[in-house]
Amino acid sequence: MASSSSSSCCESSCEALSVALSSVALNSKSAFGKTATAAGGAASPDPSSSAHRDPKPHFPQFLSPTSPSNDHNSHHPTNPLNGSSSNTTSLIWFRNDLRIHDNEALFRANTDSAFLIPIYCFDPRDFGKSASMGVDKTGPYRALFLIECVANLRENLRQRGSDLVLRIGKPEEEVVGMAKGAGASSVYAHQEVSHEEFEMEKTVQESLGKLGVEAKFVWGSTLFHRDDLPFQLEDMPSSYCTFRTKLRNVQVRPVLEAPKELKSLPSLSTLDVGALPTLQDLGLPSLPDGQDGDAAKEPTIHGGETEALRIIISIDALLMNSKDKEVHHDVGTSFGINPAWNVSPWLATGCLSPRRMLHELTEKYSRFVTRKYVSQ
């Protein structure tokens, strides 16, 4: 009886967890000050936007002709790294995917190339004033979190034989210039959906095309892949309940493990990987002073993939110390919505994959429920 009850409770709880994460993880960019991704359910649009006035929002046309994601069946291989490296140099352009686990763009670039140049650009436009409100788009605390995310990504890449080229500048200039200087044949990147990022992608693609360099965009910022949705993006349900119902039988794709080794940078004497910028380099002030002239207040959270995975892994211990009613009566609060377990900043910067989060929490919650019922 205990085993049957445990199994039934575990299945229903994990289903609820998946539903909760399809909201929390996919709308994390909105929570962190970014526009939510299209495949992430019904996000709250800007009241002044046309999408707010029209119940059917208009989504941009994706750059699928140059994207390896264009083949729907290719996303369910036994080994996503199937293929052989040619004697080529490729760029992997990191954006809001500052991780090495579950990163299809990195995996494909590493597989298809003899040499690999990872690059990240601190775009000055992200640190200026907003046109509508005249306030900083990025404050010093958020900028510091981003710098820590990039620093941790560089460390993880170096541990695997690679590095991270850092530039302060517009990606449509820096990425294209790096591709030209290195003689790259392809540039891999994850695709975004918000207007500014999409326009930037079009500019980058056009500029690379003039150089004979192929832009290869893949999809990887949401829990459910856009190609697996049972509706067109233009028909996205306006309510989350409808969205949840339609996706109830949609399977989340497997998590891609982090590569153990990465292709090295080409031997270019002129390739300067660059240094991590300071807040002043980004045009931002130092952290504000505390009250009554105290020293600057240190941030309570720190960026990076390593920190994000540490938090997820530590949840197993938190579960064992949780009261039964706290877990069973409010699964959504227990997994991510509660401020104490809020992982939105790491999801927004891509330090944590939504699929990895679901996988880890489902596994840990299943084990927790089993322990609870077996011990009773």
Short mmCIF file of all heavy atoms in Angstrom, two decimals, residues 28 46 131 155 218:
data_model
loop_
_atom_site.label_atom_id
_atom_site.label_comp_id
_atom_site.label_asym_id
_atom_site.label_seq_id
_atom_site.Cartn_x
_atom_site.Cartn_y
_atom_site.Cartn_z
N SER A 28 11.60 33.43 -16.81
CA SER A 28 12.62 33.96 -15.93
C SER A 28 13.25 35.23 -16.47
O SER A 28 13.66 36.09 -15.71
CB SER A 28 13.71 32.91 -15.71
OG SER A 28 14.34 32.59 -16.93
N ASP A 46 4.45 44.45 -22.53
CA ASP A 46 4.51 45.88 -22.26
C ASP A 46 3.15 46.48 -22.57
O ASP A 46 2.63 46.33 -23.67
CB ASP A 46 5.60 46.51 -23.14
CG ASP A 46 5.81 47.97 -22.84
OD1 ASP A 46 4.94 48.57 -22.17
OD2 ASP A 46 6.83 48.51 -23.28
N ALA A 131 15.24 54.39 -23.67
CA ALA A 131 14.69 55.50 -24.44
C ALA A 131 13.36 55.98 -23.87
O ALA A 131 13.03 57.16 -23.94
CB ALA A 131 14.50 55.07 -25.89
N GLU A 155 36.19 30.35 -16.96
CA GLU A 155 36.90 29.36 -16.16
C GLU A 155 36.54 27.94 -16.59
O GLU A 155 37.41 27.07 -16.75
CB GLU A 155 36.57 29.56 -14.68
CG GLU A 155 37.22 28.55 -13.75
CD GLU A 155 36.81 28.74 -12.31
OE1 GLU A 155 36.10 29.72 -12.01
OE2 GLU A 155 37.20 27.91 -11.46
N VAL A 218 20.55 28.18 -33.22
CA VAL A 218 19.80 27.06 -32.66
C VAL A 218 18.90 27.57 -31.54
O VAL A 218 19.08 28.67 -31.03
CB VAL A 218 20.73 25.94 -32.13
CG1 VAL A 218 21.62 25.41 -33.23
CG2 VAL A 218 21.58 26.45 -30.98
#
